[in-house]
Amino acid sequence: MSPARDDGPATRSPVPEVSWDANEQANADPPLLRRVVVTGAAKGLGRLVLRALEGSCERVGIDHEPIEGDAARGVEHYVCDLTKRPAEDIFRQGGVDAVVHLAFEDDPRVGKHKRYNRNVLSTMKLLDHVARYDVKSVVVVSTAAVYGAHPHNPAFLAENAPLRALETYSGMRERVEADRYAQAWMWRHDHVRTTILRPTHVIGPTVMSPLKAYITRRRVVPVLFGFDPMMQLIHEDDLVQAIVLALRAGRTDIFNVSGPGEISLFGMLREVGVSPLPLPHPAAYVVMRQLERLRAVPFSSPMLDFLRYNLLVSDRRIRRELGFSPRVGLRDTLRSIALPRTGKYIAPGDGA
Amino acid sequence: MFFKLSDAFHAALDRTVSAEVEDRIRRVPTKLNEYGFDPFGFNPDVAKYLYSAAYPIYKHYFRVETHGAEHLPGDRVIVAANHSGVLPWDGLMVALSMLMEADPPRLARGMAERWFPTLPVFSPLMQRMGHVLGDPQNCRELLGRDEAILVFPEGVRGIGKTIWEAYELQEFGTGFVRLALETGAPIVPCAVVGAEEQMPSVGNVTPLARLTGFPYVPVTPFFPALGPLGLLPLPVRYRVYYDEPIHFDGDARSTSDEDVDRAVEIVKSKIHRLIQYGLETREGVFS
């Protein structure tokens, strides 16, 4: 007899949770969504969100670059910088009901100032426009990485856990700052329905995330000798589902989004078909710092902590309050980015 | 390449796996995902090697005798035991006794110290065995999943004490009773008799402990005189006793500190009685 299989978190009578009283006001009726602005529209996640909203509203995209391929069809797309005047003009024309803010930059190869601009200043400016031009609701897609991979992390951090990513990883500073700014803004502007989502590592054929960059760019990837943390992944389609749910619900709240389950780093590499190269951790931090300085890697040295310590969040609240439930299982999520072993690309759900 | 080597290594290790231990681990009522993990990192495919390696120590070295394993329920429970013996062999032996003697077999979810996750190799292996970082939130999550957590309410005060204080229970922490109130989990008092004599510490070198950052540095007849060899425990016989589960009713928030203290005293006195019974009925330290 084998142990019972789990397909969801906590069973039986739930244990009382840490109290986290969100703003319960004005959460009753769904917000109007006639014209929706999506920032970061040209990136993978942006294109997926635009596609998910197709037919339900006027879709407006903003990004630094044009949208490629089919996703552009029927989208009013503006190529501009969020911090600049043309972006404000989009809001000044009026009629924008909601904003989905996805334009964040995680690639450490992008210079420091540019990253600060794209992460922090863009968020501040965008939220300014939201307040000034009477936008009714905003969904800010932050990241669970803001909690930081810390040795003292208990399993399943709730939304009120401290954002400790700054303690070790200054490269995370802009993401933490943007999240904190959005949080403070959310409580100050209680007439705008603001939802902050903090998803775990996004995996899928379309999006690019730091974790995906790390495991799919080469056949052998460095890991830290003697460490094998547990990680959470979410398939891009499920994250889009969560974003659309949040947009339609229009709650003023913060939600973690953790996906179908937990897997160890080595288990993940094995499934994807990548070999780990264990390096002693003191040396690894030094080497990575040098590579980072040369802007040679899409991954930065203090991010090695994510390969060392657990960072697990609880998404119990979004499941309960918005009815979110991931549809893509752990195995299919990983297989969606698996390297072809037999010369055949394995698509999600293929089961092969 | 790496995973081929790793699979070959596991295949070679397979001969060391005790069928008995593997069978018990398979029957542990912990829910696993499609990759065989629980969210805290427990994985029976790795745990079977580790518990199999420890099993001869349990069976032939310490010759652990278990009494009252029928008191361990099949769902959420807090096992509270006395802590002793300088090195935490008692934790491993209680864990094995819960695995090998309880019905259904229970996986003891032990609580690791805060510095533990920074340790290479040991930290992931302990996770695969079912141990977690000692944090109240981890306990709550585990009990919510009907797991069995193993706590030593004396903590370092118990394990670091000298042979002159053998079997004197030290001050108990109160966290485990609060957890029981919050989660409705019963507490099973557990006594370990024998571990006190495995490394008879005659005193602690406090300045050295402060210097090295260890919680205590003991002096025994063999340590530090024999160097690392002096850290080997004596082949004492372990006796592990479990008592009936105690259910505490009440709400964690409204229960006063006095009531919590009273509940702690009840558990403490039960463990004390079990220890006294074990000491009176044993014929010798090694037999």
Side-chain angles (χ1 to χ4, degrees):
Chain A
M1 186 189 151
S2 67
R5 299 280 140 173
D6 186 14
D7 40 22
T11 51
R12 235 184 59 164
S13 54
V15 171
E17 284 167 46
V18 188
S19 66
W20 161 253
D21 296 318
N23 201 341
E24 298 287 339
Q25 45 73 25
N27 283 339
D29 34 278
L32 268 179
L33 302 172
R34 289 163 308 197
R35 190 173 163 83
V36 178
V37 167
V38 176
T39 69
K43 291 251 178 61
L45 190 59
R47 295 203 304 269
L48 291 174
V49 170
L50 285 172
R51 194 181 303 156
L53 293 175
E54 194 176 348
S56 66
C57 57
E58 278 176 48
R59 297 168 298 155
V60 181
I62 307 181
D63 209 330
H64 311 279
E65 50 205 353
I67 305 176
E68 284 173 19
D70 291 354
R73 215 179 305 140
V75 177
E76 197 181 318
H77 185 59
Y78 297 90
V79 177
C80 60
D81 191 322
L82 273 176
T83 55
K84 300 278 164 62
R85 188 65 179 236
E88 186 172 356
D89 290 341
I90 298 166
F91 290 91
R92 187 178 295 127
Q93 289 166 19
V96 175
D97 294 312
V99 174
V100 179
H101 183 36
L102 306 171
F104 290 104
E105 186 59 70
D106 285 318
D107 195 331
R109 290 172 303 180
V110 173
K112 214 160 109 188
H113 297 293
K114 212 176 216 178
R115 249 186 14 225
Y116 186 83
N117 238 341
R118 291 191 184 171
N119 289 326
V120 184
L121 291 182
S122 297
T123 304
M124 292 168 77
K125 281 280 180 193
L126 180 72
L127 292 176
D128 271 357
H129 304 332
V130 165
R132 182 169 313 156
Y133 298 108
D134 199 29
V135 178
K136 311 289 187 310
S137 60
V138 196
V139 177
V140 177
V141 182
S142 180
T143 165
V146 294
Y147 296 115
H150 193 278
H152 295 177
N153 276 349
F156 312 126
L157 299 167
E159 287 82 352
N160 55 355
L163 309 185
R164 351 172 60 144
L166 292 179
E167 275 179 36
T168 52
Y169 179 31
S170 64
M172 221 31 236
R173 184 181 57 221
E174 300 105 25
R175 296 302 304 265
V176 174
E177 216 169 292
D179 187 296
R180 284 203 179 129
Y181 183 85
Q183 243 186 96
W185 189 92
M186 168 172 110
W187 302 122
R188 270 202 320 270
H189 297 82
D190 56 2
H191 58 285
V192 181
R193 302 169 180 207
T194 312
T195 315
I196 300 173
L197 296 181
R198 292 185 186 143
T200 51
H201 303 291
V202 193
I203 294 290
T206 320
V207 299
M208 186 46 75
S209 64
L211 183 76
K212 186 182 161 190
Y214 161 70
I215 56 181
T216 57
R217 293 222 168 133
R218 39 190 84 68
R219 288 270 170 180
V220 177
V221 300
V223 298
L224 301 178
F225 173 78
F227 292 100
D228 186 16
M230 298 300 289
M231 294 186 158
Q232 289 167 324
L233 314 168
I234 182 166
H235 190 272
E236 55 187 30
D237 293 345
D238 282 328
L239 178 55
V240 171
Q241 184 209 148
I243 292 169
V244 173
L245 273 174
L247 189 63
R248 296 206 194 289
R251 302 280 186 93
T252 296
D253 211 337
I254 306 172
F255 295 110
N256 293 332
V257 194
S258 78
E262 293 77 17
I263 185 168
S264 76
L265 173 63
F266 278 61
M268 188 169 75
L269 296 180
R270 180 189 283 258
E271 185 66 83
V272 175
V274 172
S275 281
L277 174 69
L279 303 172
H281 67 270
Y285 282 87
V286 174
V287 172
M288 282 297 279
R289 213 165 295 138
Q290 296 313 315
L291 289 175
E292 191 189 347
R293 192 177 294 165
L294 297 170
R295 296 200 187 162
V297 281
F299 192 76
S300 86
S301 63
M303 274 196 101
L304 288 173
D305 279 352
F306 289 88
L307 304 180
R308 194 171 176 200
Y309 305 124
N310 291 350
L311 167 56
L312 302 176
V313 300
S314 161
D315 68 354
R316 211 168 277 165
R317 291 185 54 257
I318 193 171
R319 285 170 189 257
R320 196 181 54 212
E321 292 180 24
L322 302 189
F324 169 73
S325 159
R327 297 193 192 113
V328 187
L330 209 47
R331 201 176 286 278
D332 288 334
T333 301
L334 282 169
R335 287 192 177 173
S336 72
I337 58 160
L339 299 181
R341 256 173 279 206
T342 54
K344 182 185 154 229
Y345 182 77
I346 304 163
D350 222 11
Chain B
M1 182 64 185
F2 178 92
F3 289 113
K4 272 187 196 135
L5 279 176
S6 139
D7 287 344
F9 180 60
H10 281 175
L13 277 181
D14 271 343
R15 255 170 289 161
T16 67
V17 171
S18 142
E20 205 182 336
V21 172
E22 187 173 1
D23 170 63
R24 305 288 299 184
I25 291 181
R26 297 284 164 210
R27 284 165 51 204
V28 160
T30 294
K31 290 175 196 77
L32 307 171
N33 67 20
E34 65 253 56
Y35 288 96
F37 282 96
D38 96 332
F40 299 87
F42 166 63
N43 184 336
D45 295 326
V46 178
K48 69 182 181 194
Y49 301 114
L50 302 164
Y51 282 111
S52 292
Y55 188 50
I57 305 173
Y58 171 86
K59 201 171 172 186
H60 301 299
Y61 195 81
F62 290 127
R63 294 149 294 142
V64 180
E65 250 176 38
T66 302
H67 304 269
E70 69 277 8
H71 294 310
L72 289 166
D75 57 357
R76 65 180 71 174
V77 61
I78 300 172
V79 177
N82 59 312
H83 211 7
S84 59
V86 181
L87 292 180
W89 289 102
D90 53 350
L92 186 59
M93 292 306 118
V94 173
L96 270 161
S97 129
M98 287 167 66
L99 185 67
M100 303 308 291
E101 310 292 340
D103 187 39
R106 293 316 304 270
L107 181 68
R109 312 307 300 256
M111 300 293 139
E113 292 285 337
R114 294 245 161 215
W115 50 266
F116 203 81
T118 61
L119 213 58
V121 185
F122 290 97
S123 159
L125 289 182
M126 294 280 278
Q127 279 190 41
R128 299 297 168 266
M129 286 177 87
H131 296 292
V132 300
L133 174 73
D135 183 286
Q137 196 178 329
N138 277 339
C139 296
R140 263 178 234 124
E141 290 284 349
L142 283 165
L143 292 170
R145 287 159 195 263
D146 286 331
E147 292 286 311
I149 67 173
L150 173 60
V151 297
F152 295 101
E154 297 167 276
V156 168
R157 294 184 292 274
I159 190 168
K161 64 188 187 296
T162 58
I163 193 72
W164 320 120
E165 305 155 291
Y167 299 112
E168 282 171 27
L169 288 176
Q170 305 298 302
E171 191 195 330
F172 273 38
T174 59
F176 72 109
V177 166
R178 289 180 202 278
L179 276 169
L181 291 170
E182 260 178 65
T183 61
I187 295 174
V188 167
C190 169
V192 181
V193 175
E196 290 279 14
E197 291 88 0
Q198 73 186 8
M199 270 186 86
S201 159
V202 293
N204 284 321
V205 194
T206 315
L208 196 57
R210 218 167 277 155
L211 199 71
T212 55
F214 287 108
Y216 48 88
V217 174
V219 179
T220 77
F222 313 103
F223 184 84
L226 297 185
L229 263 182
L231 290 174
L232 286 179
L234 298 174
V236 292
R237 183 189 278 278
Y238 265 64
R239 291 167 175 84
V240 178
Y241 298 87
Y242 299 99
D243 205 348
E244 284 171 15
I246 312 171
H247 293 265
F248 290 109
D249 294 323
D251 171 16
R253 284 189 198 169
S254 60
T255 305
S256 66
D257 287 354
E258 290 75 36
D259 285 342
V260 169
D261 289 341
R262 214 166 295 139
V264 172
E265 278 312 310
I266 292 172
V267 178
K268 193 172 171 180
S269 67
K270 293 256 184 186
I271 297 175
H272 177 75
R273 246 182 300 171
L274 286 175
I275 291 175
Q276 292 311 314
Y277 174 78
L279 288 174
E280 281 159 22
T281 52
R282 77 171 172 181
E283 282 153 21
V285 173
F286 299 100
S287 55

